[in-house]
Amino acid sequence: MYKGYSGKILRINLSNLQTQINATSPDLARRFIGGTGLAGYLLYQEIPQGIDPLGPSNKLFFCTGPATGTIWPTAGRMAVVSKSPLTGIWAESHVGGHLGPEMKYAGYDFIIIEGQAEKPTVLSVVDQNVEFHSGKPYWGQNTLRASKEIRKELEQQHGHVAVIGPAGENLVKFSAIMVDGARAAGRTGLGAVMGSKNLKAILVRGTGSVDVADPQQFKSFWEEGHQRVQENPQALEMRKYGTAILVATKQNIGELPTYNHREGVYEGWDRISAETFHDYYYHTSRACGTCRLACKKAFKVDEGPYKGLITEGPEYEGIMAMGSNVGIDDIPTILQAQHLCNEYGLDVISAGCTAAFLMELVEHDLLSEDELEELDLQWGNNNGLIQLMHAIAQRNGLGDMAAEGSHRIARQIGSEAEPYDMTVKGMEISGQDGRAHRSMALGHAVAARGADHLRNLVTMDQLAYKDVAAERFGEDKLPDICDPYVETYKALATVVTEKVYTIRDSLIVCWYTCSWPPIFWIEDFAQLLTSVTGESAFGSVEELMQIGARLVTLKRCFNVREGLTRKDDRLPRRFTHEPFPSGPSKGQTVNLEPMLDEYYSLYGWDLTTGVPTKETLDSLGLKEIAKDLSTRGLLPS
């Protein structure tokens, strides 16, 4: 096996409480690297078409990559992969903290959870010792309390825990898996998958290490990498303020989602800005393993109804979801809502955006008094938002319907509600808007997990990185590629970025430092991979981009097998037909179809269906996938 890998995959069957260790295949590592790349191949091969995401046939893949557990900047992350109960398609969510490195130190590249336990269960993995414990004492506990008590009861104070809260236990479709207290594998509802398996928590503790192929080369590159991070002005700004600095950035370009994406500017933005958070509520900074950015911020409330609250977060996305998008500019309320999401185990984006959707339904008299059950969901109602978070996690009253997510609510109410459903492929749209940022419009529409802002987000046209754009895409593409309001070259930028990000997510390293700020890129990943693994082919940028195309196409094929085609690569009507009413992006809408055509062409997918062709699959080394889809009659003729 290459260096950088542990060489082992731990399989846990909850149905019979059996464990099995498989070798990590060098051939598959060469083809798919690791992380979500290798998980994509295994998920396709091991999960049958059409299964219930909350049934025993679904699986949870806890994934690391060859960089995980090394001292490379931002290599403290991991991913969880499955089939989503929210969308019914490809699911992945990435999370920081220290659990990923701990898995590698315990000796495992992947931990794969299979089957379904009869009773609430806690799993402990301490190096080679795997044990099953009763989860009954912790069932119903919030994530913070459960994590603390599990570590204490198992006498593993230095262990790291992935845990679900009441939301996951109650199968809320957008429930999260929480790691190290406030780090969330939030999107796509993976907490519900864990809850459906009666798995309350996984504790991991390892005492091993990660070997790299060329220690001297790696050390030299690591030192250079940390220096580049240390000297970058935007990285230093993020170290001070965290991702909340995006509030002002988004406001200034007219892309701060407000009132359920109806507008792109918010009149109360300065009251929820990074400076206001920092000046009045800052408590301390925290970092994931090996990271010097320390972009995680904890805040404290000193007065008012939430006096004494200390909580980690929110990120920009949480400020958007619990702030501007619901018309709330009260920071203590935003902090309390974020804290409840952490405790209950809720994806803060879907939770807040579902709240915004419900508020717009109330505005248009599409929810009755009986359905609301005294919940006051007017725009800007602080108490209504907090009460809704409790109701969703506990599936009480309106919260039971809200726990299914915006798209299912819209389908339940009918055509009158559909114009206010801000989802793509069933997942709530994050804190971007394609009307102000055309490449993001395409990115949201085509992303494998739906409404994704982390798998293909181009920042060249959002933040005007002209020099970086010229270097990555060619000076001949300027100025159009940096113009956020034109569709020209946006498919090219999205495809290139998407390929690079799949390599990032296979290594696994953090999104930050790749595009915002733009410190590392594919050439750096090539150097990193060769020094860690010793595989010379990984040193070729052309080879890595080919692997990137393979991984993007593989995820596409998983969704094709589940019935998705070009018709599902859509945006809400609001984005394509309702111009922004005010702000810097006033009057803008999205013309999606030309970008889709170019996007499919660049990947070699069929223009009519959006399905990869047999020729493309063969050229990418996915002949077994081509054979499977052909047998099912799903390949274009």
Side-chain angles (χ1 to χ4, degrees):
M1 191 59 203
Y2 303 117
K3 297 293 186 180
Y5 298 85
S6 73
K8 292 184 292 186
I9 294 174
L10 174 63
R11 291 182 181 271
I12 309 289
N13 190 316
L14 293 173
S15 296
N16 57 21
L17 302 184
Q18 296 294 311
T19 66
Q20 180 181 355
I21 294 179
N22 301 139
T24 305
S25 164
D27 174 64
L28 293 182
R30 173 65 181 79
R31 294 171 64 194
F32 304 104
I33 301 179
T36 57
L38 179 54
Y41 179 81
L42 296 175
L43 189 75
Y44 190 101
Q45 296 295 336
E46 297 185 19
I47 292 184
Q49 178 189 36
I51 63 156
D52 179 1
L54 298 179
S57 296
N58 201 6
K59 298 184 181 183
L60 270 171
F61 295 77
F62 288 81
C63 317
T64 72
T68 309
T70 69
I71 54 176
W72 173 256
T74 77
R77 297 184 67 81
M78 60 171 292
V80 188
V81 170
S82 187
K83 182 179 179 181
S84 168
L86 180 66
T87 64
I89 55 174
W90 168 266
E92 71 175 278
S93 195
H94 295 244
V95 61
H98 301 269
L99 183 64
E102 205 72 21
M103 280 176 55
K104 290 286 283 293
Y105 303 152
Y108 306 106
D109 294 315
F110 280 29
I111 296 176
I112 302 176
I113 307 298
E114 305 173 345
Q116 192 172 58
E118 290 185 7
K119 301 176 182 179
T121 301
V122 168
L123 173 69
S124 67
V125 179
V126 181
D127 291 323
Q128 305 306 306
N129 185 32
V130 181
E131 295 182 351
F132 300 91
H133 310 270
S134 173
K136 188 175 180 179
Y138 318 107
W139 204 256
Q141 289 185 356
N142 69 50
T143 61
L144 300 176
R145 180 180 175 187
S147 296
K148 182 178 180 179
E149 292 195 5
I150 287 169
R151 282 194 295 266
K152 180 179 179 180
E153 182 67 24
L154 300 184
E155 298 181 348
Q156 293 293 338
Q157 293 297 333
H158 297 291
H160 295 275
V161 181
V163 64
I164 59 171
E169 297 168 7
N170 292 327
L171 307 184
V172 174
K173 293 298 196 302
F174 47 85
S175 52
I177 299 172
M178 302 302 298
V179 172
D180 291 343
R183 311 301 167 86
R187 308 240 67 192
T188 72
L190 294 168
V193 179
M194 199 160 155
S196 73
K197 296 183 178 300
N198 276 320
L199 183 60
K200 177 67 176 180
I202 303 174
L203 178 144
V204 181
R205 173 70 174 134
T207 58
S209 60
V210 178
D211 292 332
V212 299
D214 191 331
Q216 284 303 116
Q217 182 188 29
F218 176 76
K219 181 176 182 293
S220 175
F221 193 37
W222 162 72
E223 290 173 342
E224 176 195 335
H226 273 290
Q227 190 65 29
R228 287 159 67 180
V229 173
Q230 294 279 81
E231 294 174 351
N232 185 277
Q234 284 186 326
L236 295 176
E237 188 179 21
M238 198 188 308
R239 177 181 296 170
K240 179 176 180 179
Y241 292 112
T243 60
I245 59 177
L246 278 171
V247 172
T249 301
K250 298 286 189 174
Q251 175 75 9
N252 290 337
I253 62 177
E255 197 197 9
L256 181 62
T258 300
Y259 302 124
N260 198 30
H261 283 271
R262 192 159 61 200
E263 300 180 23
V265 291
Y266 180 47
E267 63 275 15
W269 75 271
D270 57 329
R271 291 187 288 275
I272 59 172
S273 69
E275 290 79 5
T276 305
F277 267 90
H278 182 273
D279 292 347
Y280 295 97
Y281 299 96
Y282 174 77
H283 180 63
T284 190
S285 296
R286 292 173 179 161
C288 301
T290 77
C291 182
R292 292 187 179 180
L293 275 178
C295 70
K296 307 302 179 187
K297 306 302 170 188
F299 299 99
K300 183 181 180 182
V301 179
D302 291 324
E303 57 186 12
Y306 307 119
K307 181 179 179 179
L309 172 65
I310 299 176
T311 187
E312 186 174 337
E315 305 292 332
Y316 158 72
E317 294 289 346
I319 299 171
M320 173 281 302
M322 301 298 181
S324 61
N325 212 30
V326 291
I328 288 177
D329 59 14
D330 180 65
I331 286 181
T333 298
I334 295 172
L335 291 175
Q336 175 67 5
Q338 165 77 33
H339 188 67
L340 289 175
C341 286
N342 289 346
E343 287 194 320
Y344 280 130
L346 288 169
D347 172 33
V348 69
I349 299 175
S350 283
C353 291
T354 297
F357 171 58
L358 291 173
M359 288 178 180
E360 190 158 17
L361 293 184
V362 168
E363 181 182 27
H364 293 279
D365 296 321
L366 293 175
L367 288 175
S368 68
E369 295 274 342
D370 289 342
E371 287 172 317
L372 287 169
E373 292 188 342
E374 300 183 355
L375 272 175
D376 187 350
L377 294 181
Q378 302 291 328
W379 295 116
N381 188 292
N382 299 347
N383 291 333
L385 178 70
I386 298 303
Q387 290 168 6
L388 181 63
M389 295 303 105
H390 291 296
I392 290 173
Q394 296 164 355
R395 281 190 174 268
N396 287 334
L398 180 65
D400 188 41
M401 179 169 71
E404 296 295 303
S406 304
H407 189 59
R408 284 185 174 87
I409 299 172
R411 287 192 298 177
Q412 181 177 336
I413 293 175
S415 59
E416 290 179 309
E418 290 177 2
Y420 317 118
D421 173 15
M422 298 297 109
T423 64
V424 176
K425 299 183 177 76
M427 189 164 77
E428 287 75 16
I429 294 176
S430 50
Q432 300 77 35
D433 195 308
R435 288 171 289 182
H437 185 191
R438 290 298 193 276
S439 61
M440 192 69 264
L442 177 62
H444 275 152
V446 300
R449 68 177 185 174
D452 202 327
H453 66 292
L454 293 174
R455 309 280 82 78
N456 53 24
L457 173 58
V458 180
T459 56
M460 306 303 105
D461 53 333
Q462 182 188 47
L463 301 173
Y465 290 128
K466 294 182 180 180
D467 292 342
V468 178
E471 180 181 348
R472 292 182 180 177
F473 305 109
E475 288 191 23
D476 61 311
K477 308 299 188 302
L478 295 171
D480 285 351
I481 202 166
C482 286
D483 186 338
Y485 301 134
V486 302
E487 284 75 26
T488 311
Y489 297 127
K490 297 310 184 289
L492 171 65
T494 300
V495 166
V496 170
T497 300
E498 196 168 42
K499 290 177 183 178
V500 174
Y501 285 1
T502 60
I503 301 301
R504 174 204 68 195
D505 293 343
S506 298
L507 277 167
I508 302 170
V509 293
C510 186
W511 187 87
Y512 299 115
T513 73
C514 296
S515 266
W516 182 70
I519 299 173
F520 305 117
W521 200 237
I522 191 66
E523 295 82 5
D524 300 298
F525 295 159
Q527 187 173 347
L528 173 61
L529 268 168
T530 52
S531 66
V532 170
T533 68
E535 170 53 62
S536 60
F538 289 152
S540 164
V541 167
E542 182 179 350
E543 175 66 14
L544 286 187
M545 293 299 278
Q546 178 78 346
I547 294 174
R550 179 183 302 146
L551 304 184
V552 173
T553 301
L554 177 60
K555 294 179 188 179
R556 183 75 176 190
C557 289
F558 181 88
N559 286 346
V560 166
R561 196 180 65 174
E562 296 300 321
L564 270 63
T565 63
R566 178 172 179 147
K567 65 178 173 49
D568 301 289
D569 292 341
R570 50 161 292 279
L571 293 171
R573 179 178 172 82
R574 175 160 284 170
F575 285 35
T576 56
H577 288 78
E578 296 180 24
F580 268 134
S582 61
S585 298
K586 180 179 179 179
Q588 292 293 324
T589 57
V590 176
N591 184 13
L592 182 62
E593 299 307 316
M595 292 191 291
L596 282 179
D597 285 343
E598 185 180 357
Y599 177 86
Y600 297 147
S601 295
L602 288 169
Y603 272 122
W605 301 351
D606 181 69
L607 291 185
T608 302
T609 63
V611 175
T613 65
K614 181 180 184 302
E615 292 74 20
T616 294
L617 293 174
D618 287 348
S619 70
L620 291 174
L622 295 173
K623 291 185 177 181
E624 67 270 49
I625 307 297
K627 181 179 179 181
D628 179 70
L629 292 179
S630 179
T631 301
R632 299 176 189 276
L634 295 174
L635 285 187
S637 57

